[in-house]
Amino acid sequence: MILVRSLVSAAVAAAVVLGAPVWPAEPADAPAQGAGLAGQLLVATPALEGPMFAHTVIYMVRSDARTGAMGLVVNRALGEVPMGVLLDQSGLPSAGAKGSVRLHVGGPVEATSIFVLHTDDYAGPDTVKVGGGIALTAEPYILQSIAEGKGPRRARFTLGYAGWAPGQLEAEMEAGYWIVVPADAAIVFDDAYETKWDRAMARRRINL
C-alpha cells in the first residue's frame, strides 16, 4: 500500500512502502449486503452537513455484509507531488522520471495511504476491477508503470478512503444523507471539481 508521511504547502512529500491489501479476502459464501453499490456514485445530500462529507461525491468500490462498505471521494483535490519523489521513496528507479501526480482527498480512513483509481486498461498483480471500466490499485508498482508510459489511460490518486461498518451506510441512506446514482467516468476522472456534485445530483433523474 502506498503511504504518504507528510504534506508540505501545496505540494506533497511522500514516502511509499508496500503494505496490506486494499481489503481482506472474503469467503465465497459471504452473504451480500448492498452489493449493487460497487461501481456506482454515492452522493451526499444537502442534509449531510459538516466538513468531512458535505457535498462529496464518492465512487464506491466495495459493499458487503462482512466488511461493510468502502469508497473514494472524487471531488476534492489536495496537492501535487513529483513522480520522482514517489518512485524514490518506494525504492523504485526514478532516473528520468518526469511530471507530477495530483493527490486528492479520498476519505478519513487510512488518510496517509494512496489508492489509485484508474481505467481498467491497466492491471497489476493486486489490481481490483470494480466494473464499468474502472479498477483500483494500491501497490507502488503502478507508479513505475505510469512513469514508463505503461500505466492506465486515466488515473486518480487519492489519500485515504471512506469506510462504513456493516449496515452503517444503509442506515445513513435511510436517514436521507446519501443517494446512489449511476457512475460516470467523467465525474470520476475529470478535474472540474466545482461541478462534480451538481452533475452527480443531476444523474438521479436519469432512468437506466
Side-chain angles (χ1 to χ4, degrees):
M1 188 174 293
I2 310 171
L3 300 181
V4 174
R5 299 298 186 191
S6 60
L7 302 181
V8 181
S9 300
V12 180
V16 184
V17 298
L18 291 173
V22 176
W23 50 66
E26 272 296 294
D29 60 350
Q33 176 178 324
L37 294 180
Q40 298 195 67
L41 295 177
L42 187 71
V43 188
T45 69
L48 184 57
E49 301 177 345
M52 186 64 68
F53 288 117
H55 280 76
T56 52
V57 179
I58 298 175
Y59 180 78
M60 296 301 296
V61 297
R62 184 175 175 84
S63 178
D64 64 60
R66 297 279 181 92
T67 60
M70 171 187 178
L72 302 172
V73 176
V74 298
N75 62 329
R76 287 186 177 173
L78 181 59
E80 299 204 5
V81 59
M83 176 62 79
V85 171
L86 291 177
L87 291 168
D88 277 338
Q89 296 190 9
S90 66
L92 297 172
S94 63
K98 299 179 180 179
S100 60
V101 169
R102 180 176 294 175
L103 296 180
H104 304 78
V105 176
V109 184
E110 294 189 25
T112 58
S113 299
I114 297 179
F115 300 87
V116 186
L117 198 61
H118 56 87
T119 48
D120 68 1
D121 51 332
Y122 169 89
D126 298 296
T127 295
V128 176
K129 290 191 175 183
V130 182
I134 297 177
L136 179 68
T137 300
E139 300 296 334
Y141 52 73
I142 191 173
L143 300 174
Q144 188 165 19
S145 296
I146 291 174
E148 295 173 351
K150 301 175 183 178
R153 180 173 54 88
R154 306 179 80 174
R156 182 160 301 279
F157 288 69
T158 64
L159 280 172
Y161 65 89
W164 294 265
Q168 181 182 3
L169 179 55
E170 288 78 7
E172 293 180 7
M173 292 174 64
E174 289 179 4
Y177 294 129
W178 303 98
I179 62 169
V180 177
V181 303
D184 175 57
I187 293 176
V188 172
F189 292 114
D190 73 27
D191 295 331
Y193 306 106
E194 70 282 355
T195 67
K196 286 179 186 264
W197 186 81
D198 289 328
R199 284 184 284 152
M201 288 294 285
R203 291 181 68 78
R204 64 183 171 172
R205 296 190 293 269
I206 300 176
N207 294 318
L208 297 181

